[in-house]
Amino acid sequence: MILVFIEHKDGVLNKTSLEAITAAQAIAKDINDRVSAVIPCDDDKGLAQEIANYDLEKVIVATNPKLNVYTPDGYADAWAEIIKREKPQYVVMSHTYQVRDFAPKVAARFDREVLADVIRYRKEEGKFVFTRRIFLGKLDADVVLQGEAPYFVTFQSGAFRPDKAEKGSAKIEKVEVNVSEIRMSPEEPFQETKSEVDLTKSEIIVAVGRGIKSQENIALAQQLADVLGGDLAASRPICDAEWLPIDRQIGSSGQTVAPKLYIALGISGAIQHVVGMKNSQVIVAINKDPEAPIFDIADYGIVGDLFDAVPVMIEEIKKLKG
Amino acid sequence: MKIVVLMKQVVNKDAVLRIKADCSWIEESDVALQTSESDGYALEEALRLREAKGQGEVVVCSVGTHAAKSVIKDALARGANRGIHIINNEPHKLSPYQTAKMIAEVIKGENPDLIFTGLQSDDLGYGQTGVILAELLGIPHATIVIEIDRSSLSDTLRVKRELESGWYQWFNYRLPALFTIQSGISQIRYASLKGIMEAKKKEIKEIVMDAPAFSSAQKIQKVYLPVKTKQTQILGNGDAKRGAVELVEKLKNEARVI
């Protein structure tokens, strides 16, 4: 058995769980096994029915009133019980913030750890070889699992396609799980500020990273965005330094965008940024460091000083638009 | 209040990485090192909490080679009270469970009220040593903490977690507890000259420890440059101004996006 985690908020599916289903189905094919989905909740609000439309052995609805909101303690107890019951070979999840919070805890209960944030896997001499990005995206590492099942694996967002999850018809099984003391009390989730800009609707984005060096220099990037009729965005360090407001942040903790043109100025291309923009139609990277991982996903690159390149770009575009 | 801060030494963010001939790891001999970014924020948060409470002790703990002592010394110069250095000569071979086990053994006797660490290291990025450690110690945890309510009462702490897509959530914890800290939570202080002088007198306990046996450790087979998924046209051949001219031409006539 392979178990796959279905993440949700009040019964509303987190779409990355469909990627996890695709991943789990692929692994199942390779080891000739079946996949079951697990939904920890108080009330699944019809989510189990939605998930039952995929090619799964069964959808396990792990219920307890204490699972009405997410807590790491509650989810760890629910998962521990389901794993003891089902004795899975693999437990597959998407590498979301919530999974990062509870999955290592569940694994530790079984004297295991998580093979986390995997971007792809292959079968080699009957064994799985998983690939992770390391050194902030600069290198890849091939990693193998040792020891006995269960194996815990999480996949990076985008590693598998949500629309490739195979459809089918699964039975739904409701399991009342035990949850012991919850040692943390959550308040209501909230959004910090209403966004001023909706970058997801931008056709052209000029994004700045550490390479912009100072807040004053952002004006240069703004000029480029202006002549292109685009919007200004940034990587996390720029927003952390409050050089630009947080609603301009692209990446796992900010917005996910896919404009026609994405120009990355002085952005190295750490995974946390890349996941937020890699689906852009055309990506341009300007960076001094030829080894910067941003060049791996760029269509066009300039290795050099952005302060040399950008003023020339602005002039050239002005000429074009005459 | 006793706060243990776990900090890791990693290669410098801007260092050019050279892969060993056998592809087992990178050449570490002459590469510049630094403290993993989010661990620096974890220390800053511990120092600010101690200051807000007006009392307490901040203990820095690092697992690493002899070189990792500089991470501890730097933390002491910034204001940590003392350090614990778990010396291991091949820390990159430690799986997160092994690292957590080593730390658990050492700090069990410290009985800290709080443990802070960065949310993930800038090298291996496992992002789970803290969570596993909390489980081994039997204390609750929260990850990706972006704010701490320093006015919380003495035996509780209210922390703000970052969720995805711009959402946040406050959680209340009874101590002891472990929190992994997000980068950017506050401005990191510099070490003062006075701090650097005082640090020389502060205690650093050294414990040499081999990796504990762990049959389920994930094992790195080889490291390599990422396989490119896209053909990148590098323009200008080192001349950024010429590249800019070529780029605008290509965006107009080839990609047709402007």
Side-chain angles (χ1 to χ4, degrees), chain A residues 97 100-101 105 109 111 113-114 135 138 140 142 144 146 185 187 190 253 295 298-301, chain B residues 13 15 95 97 123 128 135 141 143 158 162 168-170 172 217-218 221-222 224 232-233 235 254:
Chain A
Y97 278 24
R100 287 160 70 173
D101 196 54
K105 182 177 176 70
R109 292 225 177 143
D111 293 324
E113 59 191 17
V114 180
F135 292 106
K138 282 187 186 171
D140 278 358
D142 281 351
V144 291
Q146 304 185 104
S185 55
E187 300 173 17
F190 62 98
S253 49
F295 287 118
D299 299 277
Y300 301 103
Chain B
K13 256 193 162 75
S95 85
Y97 190 95
D123 50 5
Q128 49 187 311
E135 182 65 19
H141 79 275
T143 55
R158 186 167 170 263
E162 184 180 318
Y168 299 90
Q169 189 173 19
W170 285 96
N172 293 280
Q218 52 195 297
Q221 272 190 331
K222 67 169 197 175
Y224 50 98
T232 309
Q233 295 189 41
L235 308 173
E254 192 175 87

Side-chain angles (χ1 to χ4, degrees), chain A residues 270-289:
Chain A
I271 306 166
Q272 291 80 356
H273 182 74
V274 167
V275 295
M277 47 65 74
K278 66 181 173 193
N279 292 324
S280 304
Q281 199 182 317
V282 174
I283 297 171
V284 173
I286 304 178
N287 203 300
K288 269 185 172 171
D289 176 9

